[in-house]
Amino acid sequence: MSIMGAPSSSGRFGEFGGRFVPESLIPACFELEKVFTEAWSDPEFKNEYQRILRDYAGRPTPVTELQRFSDWLGVRVFLKREDLAHTGSHKINNVIGQALLTKRMGKSRIIAETGAGQHGVATATAAALLGLECVVYMGEIDIARQALNVFRMKLLGASVVSVTSGSRTLKDAINEAMREWVASVDTTHYCIGSVMGPHPYPYMVREFQRIIGDEALVQMRQILDGDVPDYVVACVGGGSNAAGTFVGFVDTRSKLIGVEPEGGAAINRGIPGVVHGSLSNLLQDDVGQVQEAHSISAGLDYPGVGPEHSYLASIGRASYATAHDSEVLEALQSLSRLEGIIPALEPAHAIAYVIREAGKTIPLGSSVLITMSGRGDKDAESVAMMLGENN
Amino acid sequence: MANQTLGMLEKALTEKRDGGRKLLVPYISGGLGDWIETIHAIIEAGADAVEVGIPFSDPIMDGPIIQEASQRALDGGITPSAILSELRRNSFAVPIAVMTYYNIVHHAGHKRFARELANSGVSGSIIPDLQLDEGGDWIMMAAENGIDNVLLAAPSTSPERLTRSAVSSRGFVYGVGLMGVTGERASLADSASEIAHRLKECTTRPVLVGVGVSNAEQAVQVSRVSDGVIVGSALVRRLLQGGGPQSAFEFISELRKGIDAII
Ligand SMILES: Cc1ncc(COP(=O)(O)O)c(C=O)c1O
């Protein structure tokens, strides 16, 4: 039995997870659980999912060994290149799965929340591919800082709804998408973008993302003559690229490390609480109001985290570190200059962690696999501003 | 069911219902403006119980009006304890139920929250994101402390589940009038009378319909089938617009007059 197996019938990973949603949505959660469970053991469905990811999205993505970056740090660094998947991030893996399920359920419309816009772009892409109507909810602040992705979604035929309530970022985009889902659940599937939400979402999204870790395990064994990397590192917003990566390595000797933004570190600074449908670590004030996160990375700017990460942290199988905005910006530049790979701000957190810890908690000579969850194009404009570039 | 097992909320509502009265339960956001005075005014106008919202940062079952009310109250620094101690300092002629989201309860701890409610004279709780599946533990703790926890039944709820919710609910059963979040609607959804009808078929507990019941005409329409209504956004909008206790009194009086005329 894998440490990252299926959750309990009530959707619990240890004590975390569950199904805390308004009554109106409960039947949709049950239906989704049933349809996903059937589809995931249906070879025809799996073939179709894998075929699209191969022929349309460009999988498998390669693992790249970094030469100059490794020389600089004194550790052997490998990147799992989700930035090379169609639409530029790992989000496509999940969305292709959920869009196929939407059709299987006979629904014609798909809605999504997005922070960085990568999940929104991926959802809009899958909707175009499969002929679904698509609406994406995005916080007003994120619309401003990820303008390129907003335009891409529109080009792809999706409508983008600006969310002006509360934090005006990812947290409130999810609130608004859930409210909209309550009103349209008959015809509409809510395509959640990470390993969060009510059961079966955290489990289902992890399964759709496990292709990252399953591929990477085979690739790393080949590169390392049958061995696995000493460290496997991924950034954690909701935690989908990390969960999809970890699941491939959880039953090996690799150390698993998730990297949270300093200003949105639910595992490091939160306590268990319930928001958006599941029980997990959550940044909250002293009476239980959810606090706003603050991160330069729109995709990690979230006060909660997927329940399976709280579980992995609670049993000590994965550990979770944080990275500051300033070291993230530096990491982004270092990788760009040394390797010709411009990372998105999200995976730049994982890179920053490895830069900081190489030769310290990560001994010199170790092998490290980092999930490069997305490419940096979407952030170019805001990074230029932060670096004071005006051209 | 023997009468002595009924909680305060259910007892009061059942007696009135059995006396031939249609039930009117207004919702108001705790911490918003002169909310205590407003509660007195709506009781004066004929409310049979009052639902007091404890604002939460992420109210996913609420539309723009109640969202704004919650936000204003939170911006004014209101906390769950502040609301409960205000309630404790006052006494009301009808039962008070609180409506909040589960994280507020989870954060306080079930036992502590149930005791705090009881000590504040509250006799019911409504927690939209805590239903049958996850609610068992809280329902028991609430009951031990004399708090009736009200469960919801939605238009999408299956017949089998509807019966289970009605059995496990205490106080009354909350029929959700439409597939959507709280807010005013121009007309009553067909689903409002349908959910009332389905619930009346399977329970003897009071059946109240809320969400999307916006004026006297709609209240009358659904109360022909249900035992009464919950009215939130339509009242809260008047308060947000600066109406104050007097306008709340007038609005609730109008609803009262409407449903009292049902024969
Ligand atoms: C490139 C990239 N990486 C990571 C994330 C964070 O999501 P998760 O933690 O679910 O992988 C995002 C989210 O928008 C993203 O765009």
Side-chain angles (χ1 to χ4, degrees), chain A residues 88-91 114-119 193-195 235-242 298-300 344 346-347 373-375 378:
Chain A
S89 84
H90 69 292
K91 299 285 182 186
T114 197
Q118 286 303 116
H119 176 59
S194 192
V195 285
C235 67
V236 176
S240 68
N241 86 88
L300 306 182
E346 292 80 19
S373 57
R375 65 176 189 231
K378 69 181 175 64

Side-chain angles (χ1 to χ4, degrees), chain A residues 12 19 171 175 274 288-289, chain B residues 57-58 62 103 134 156 161:
Chain A
R12 300 284 181 145
R19 189 177 270 151
K171 171 174 85 82
N175 289 338
V274 173
Q289 307 294 355
Chain B
S57 52
D58 296 83
D62 288 305
N103 198 49
E134 303 282 354
S156 56
R161 189 175 160 95

